[in-house]
Amino acid sequence: MGTVTARSARLRLDGWPSPPCPVRLTPPHGTLCRFDVADRPAPVTTWVVDFANLVPDTHYVADLGPFGGSTVGFRTAPAGLDAHTSFGLSLLSCYFPSDQFVGRAGRVLGRLAARSSPPHLNVLCGDQIYADVPSDWTRDDPTLVYARRYEAAWAPGRLGPLLAGGANVFACDDHEYWNNYPETTIWLSRSWWSWAQWADAARAANWGEQGQWNFAPGITGGAAEKRAWCAWRQADVDLFVADTRTDRASPDHSRCPTVPDGECPHRLRRSHLMTAAQRHALHAWIASVPRLGILVLGQPILAAATSWSDFDTTLADYDDYDDLIASLRWAIATRGVSFIVLSGDIHWSRLVRWRCRTASRPDAMLIEFVTSPLARVGLPSIVSTRADVGRRADPKLDGAARGALLRRLPHFDEGTIFATNEHAIGFLTIRRAGHELLAEFEVESLDTQRVADDRWSGGRWPCRATLVV
């Protein structure tokens, strides 16, 4: 299932022999607005089915007819929020295909089913696959390698049932390509030789398997250029799903994966995270959000810069980062807008908020909600799909990192709310209480099947909080 909005939905169907499509919606729906072959380099025909003019806040069942003999359920979002409606998201990232963690996707389905009000949309923040694991020094065709990795990741015993069990929107991060893409990684031959060819194959696979499913009718963004970044409005909330990985150039300007041969032009003066088109759209979106914006990023925004030679680069290593922080700071301080950043990557779940003391609205703030991982990866995993549990360092910012953020966010006060290092899924629910909007955050442990314990409080409190936004 792709993305579902208040009035539209996108459905993926694999293996239909030919049109016409026998999909039937209950409650009855008017016209099937689009039925076309998906842009996907695979031997099995995949179809895109788009529905428009749906009724907001309604449960639908798509009957796949005699060919599939099965049904898919989804729920449209409310068009707006009142005392009786809410808008819910789940947040997931980092599903390493570890042998001992293979059942984590099933546990996610159990947690979703157990909720009294299931989320309208699953937000997959990146590293849905680890296309670079296990490490291989292969001579196989890159297109085949990425196709096989997606086939394994989307299998019934892996993420397949989760993706088929509800609506999904996709962001990507480095492991959709390779570790710390586009930089070299010593144990991955694809990152050294013919790396631009491998990048092209990974980009095509990412679009075919993830990106194109973001674009239900009414969602705008990078579809014309086969880029997954997108934006739309529903339930009194503005959403922007960014792609800060596909078009990322090296901080030292040595690699630009999306130009011929991967060679950066000599005139390049910026270490950029995205195309100019996405950058302009993102800043225009920030400037236009009237009250609450939800921004999805593949890596946390409230994180420290690294050196170029470190194991992984962060958003703060790039020139685009300062511009992004400046735009968010301006919108919060001068227009009283709040932003919730959703992210993954760091193999910790945490909630942090930076409140602006000089904002025109006292509750205006920048909130970052990170949920990671579905299944943990550790360093020994580069040679095997049997992983260790990974590093469990405390996720709080050190003094240098906090100081760098304070310089970029003057007149802001930091608040660390909760964190956990368990395998986890996050939930965000937006409600209206009078004239106020409430954001309810919760992290559930896939290990204990209950609300996770807050590591920052020594386990005395649960990972649960409500903020006025």
Side-chain angles (χ1 to χ4, degrees), residues 11-64:
L11 180 65
R12 167 178 171 167
L13 296 177
D14 287 347
W16 291 95
S18 63
C21 173
V23 176
R24 296 185 297 274
L25 270 190
T26 304
H29 164 264
T31 58
L32 187 69
C33 68
R34 180 170 181 259
F35 177 57
D36 201 358
V37 178
D39 185 3
R40 181 170 173 259
V44 176
T45 301
T46 297
W47 301 93
V48 176
V49 183
D50 281 342
F51 299 98
N53 305 315
L54 300 180
V55 179
D57 204 19
T58 300
H59 289 271
Y60 284 92
V61 175
D63 185 346
L64 304 186

Side-chain angles (χ1 to χ4, degrees), residues 125-138:
C125 270
D127 295 340
Q128 280 70 256
I129 70 165
Y130 279 68
D132 50 1
V133 176
S135 176
D136 53 19
W137 292 75
T138 179

Side-chain angles (χ1 to χ4, degrees), residues 142-375:
T143 298
L144 292 177
V145 171
Y146 284 101
R148 290 170 187 154
R149 297 293 164 89
Y150 272 104
E151 183 180 14
W154 283 187
R158 301 286 186 176
L159 287 179
L162 174 62
L163 300 182
N168 306 283
V169 66
F170 299 91
C172 71
D173 198 26
D174 56 339
H175 290 288
E176 269 82 13
Y177 294 84
W178 61 77
N179 183 76
N180 203 23
Y181 170 90
E183 312 304 338
T184 56
T185 299
I186 192 168
W187 61 85
L188 289 167
S189 62
R190 73 186 69 173
S191 73
W192 289 84
W193 300 289
S194 303
W195 69 267
Q197 181 184 1
W198 282 90
D200 289 344
R203 189 163 51 249
N206 179 55
W207 171 253
E209 299 291 346
Q210 299 193 59
Q212 69 181 313
W213 307 106
N214 287 354
F215 292 93
I219 296 180
T220 61
E225 296 180 335
K226 298 184 180 181
R227 295 297 189 270
W229 63 269
C230 59
W232 73 103
R233 178 176 174 79
Q234 62 188 25
D236 300 332
V237 176
D238 292 83
L239 299 99
F240 194 107
V241 178
D243 180 352
T244 59
R245 186 62 71 168
T246 297
D247 296 286
R248 181 179 294 202
S250 298
D252 66 353
H253 313 306
S254 61
R255 287 187 170 188
C256 291
T258 56
V259 302
D261 300 321
E263 301 239 355
C264 292
H266 293 301
R267 65 181 180 276
L268 183 68
R269 293 293 181 267
R270 296 180 57 86
S271 54
H272 60 260
L273 292 163
M274 58 189 75
T275 62
Q278 183 185 178
R279 188 183 311 115
H280 294 156
L282 176 54
H283 287 284
W285 175 83
I286 292 170
S288 66
V289 171
R291 174 66 182 274
L292 176 62
I294 295 179
L295 172 60
V296 180
L297 297 171
Q299 290 179 285
I301 194 171
L302 299 177
T306 65
S307 69
W308 178 81
S309 60
D310 282 352
F311 193 68
D312 279 306
T313 53
T314 66
L315 300 184
D317 290 307
Y318 296 83
D319 294 330
D320 286 350
Y321 176 81
D322 284 329
D323 293 343
L324 176 57
I325 289 286
S327 285
L328 292 169
R329 183 183 67 230
W330 172 84
I332 295 168
T334 64
R335 297 198 298 111
V337 178
S338 284
F339 291 92
I340 299 173
V341 175
L342 304 180
S343 191
D345 178 59
I346 58 175
H347 289 219
W348 271 86
S349 301
R350 71 183 186 193
L351 179 64
V352 180
R353 68 109 180 98
W354 287 63
R355 189 192 302 273
C356 182
R357 298 190 301 273
T358 60
S360 58
R361 187 173 62 85
D363 295 319
M365 67 182 86
L366 175 62
I367 301 165
E368 182 168 74
F369 186 36
V370 180
T371 307
S372 170
L374 278 176

Side-chain angles (χ1 to χ4, degrees), residues 57 75 78 80-87 117 120 430-433:
D57 204 19
R75 177 185 173 203
L81 296 176
D82 56 34
H84 307 290
T85 60
S86 63
F87 175 47
S117 180
H120 296 91
I430 308 296
R431 303 183 187 276
R432 186 173 289 282

